[in-house]
Amino acid sequence: MDEPTHVTAVGAAPPLEVGPARSRSRDRSRARGRSRSSGLGSARGESPARGESPARHRARGEFPRGGTRERIQAIALELFAEQGYEKTSLREIAERLGVTKAALYYHFKSKEDIVRSFVEDYRAELEQVIAWGASQPRTPGTRAEILRRYSGIVSEQLAVIRFMEQNQAAMHSLMSDSGARKKMFRDQFMSLSDLITPPGAALADRIRATMAVVSIGMASLLFQREAASPEELHDVVLKVACDLADAGTS
């Protein structure tokens, strides 16, 4: 586990780790002034002030519009893939980002919090697809659109899916705080399968619908390096899934 890090009060920008102690109070005062004018601008959807270098913004925990949380998640996933989840520390994530650990701590208190955040994001996106599908008529066109939306999420969240597949012990530990959370992906998987199953379908058709959902995640993981591009892989995977589910495009 990472050593404890102290942060400023809620709403204040995290302090910079600067040199001599005699200069820190002056720097904190300047940081408070900056937090009123720009603060963690990207956390509120604001762009960094013009004229300052990207490195100085990163040192304060600031990122381009809409990118703070996503950038932290992406860098964490990179490091988890490179050296393993257990061997990666919060400090290493901060160093790869080019920020102080205190600046990173302002957004996430631990690497476990980072994992929970991208898993929750993935779950929320699946819930949106399920909610949309449940509101639509059970037609081949609806089935095709559900599969298209689901395959788009898988393509965008492939690093998250790979992390969950390769770190099942860690995932079990992280999600053990809630029995409902431990089975949430199974429930969502079954909901997607049900939505693309024609009403009154025979067993064989129900199995095909389930395999359509399975094929999107598994094929995207297994054949990533064999496709010429992510776009080609997405298109081929989606076509196979639609064929399995007898999902038309009209």
Side-chain angles (χ1 to χ4, degrees):
M1 295 294 294
D2 297 296
E3 62 274 21
T5 305
H6 298 290
V7 295
T8 57
V10 174
L16 291 176
E17 293 180 357
V18 294
R22 64 185 180 183
S23 67
R24 289 180 182 172
S25 62
R26 179 180 58 194
D27 289 331
R28 289 194 189 100
S29 176
R30 290 177 179 175
R32 284 194 296 271
R34 285 195 299 267
S35 71
R36 287 192 292 269
S37 60
S38 61
L40 286 174
S42 60
R44 296 191 298 270
E46 300 171 3
S47 298
R50 183 177 300 176
E52 291 193 40
S53 70
R56 293 191 63 183
H57 289 290
R58 287 197 301 271
R60 293 202 299 269
E62 299 170 2
F63 296 86
R65 179 186 299 271
T68 307
R69 191 169 182 274
E70 293 80 4
R71 179 65 173 158
I72 294 171
Q73 292 170 334
I75 290 298
L77 283 165
E78 285 180 10
L79 283 168
F80 296 156
E82 290 172 11
Q83 57 192 35
Y85 171 73
E86 298 296 340
K87 295 181 180 179
T88 300
S89 68
L90 201 65
R91 183 176 299 280
E92 289 174 306
I93 295 171
E95 289 174 353
R96 175 70 63 90
L97 281 161
V99 304
T100 65
K101 186 180 175 183
L104 178 58
Y105 197 84
Y106 181 83
H107 298 282
F108 295 103
K109 301 300 185 291
S110 67
K111 66 180 182 181
E112 290 81 6
D113 283 347
I114 299 175
V115 171
R116 290 188 184 97
S117 74
F118 59 62
V119 171
E120 176 60 24
D121 288 350
Y122 177 51
R123 184 204 65 79
E125 290 185 8
L126 294 181
E127 285 294 337
Q128 290 180 358
V129 175
I130 292 168
W132 180 87
S135 70
Q136 303 301 310
R138 296 293 191 95
T139 64
T142 295
R143 295 198 293 273
E145 180 62 16
I146 290 171
L147 290 171
R148 187 191 67 79
R149 294 186 182 203
Y150 175 52
S151 64
I153 292 172
V154 169
S155 294
E156 293 176 359
Q157 300 283 0
L158 202 54
V160 173
I161 298 170
R162 184 180 300 106
F163 172 87
M164 292 190 294
E165 191 270 334
Q166 294 176 347
N167 296 273
Q168 295 186 31
M171 287 298 301
H172 178 79
S173 175
L174 287 170
M175 299 303 169
S176 63
D177 57 329
S178 169
R181 187 177 286 183
K182 287 168 65 176
K183 66 170 187 172
M184 66 182 178
F185 286 112
R186 173 182 171 83
D187 290 347
Q188 291 177 320
F189 172 83
M190 295 308 300
S191 294
L192 286 169
S193 298
D194 290 342
L195 287 172
I196 63 169
T197 301
L203 178 61
D205 292 327
R206 287 157 48 201
I207 292 174
R208 289 188 186 95
T210 300
M211 292 306 298
V213 177
V214 172
S215 70
I216 289 176
M218 290 300 295
S220 296
L221 284 173
L222 295 175
F223 295 97
Q224 184 180 20
R225 296 187 178 182
E226 295 189 32
S229 68
E231 292 76 19
E232 180 193 40
L233 178 61
H234 171 269
D235 291 345
V236 173
V237 167
L238 179 57
K239 183 181 186 306
V240 170
C242 286
D243 289 344
L244 282 168
D246 191 22
T249 57
S250 59

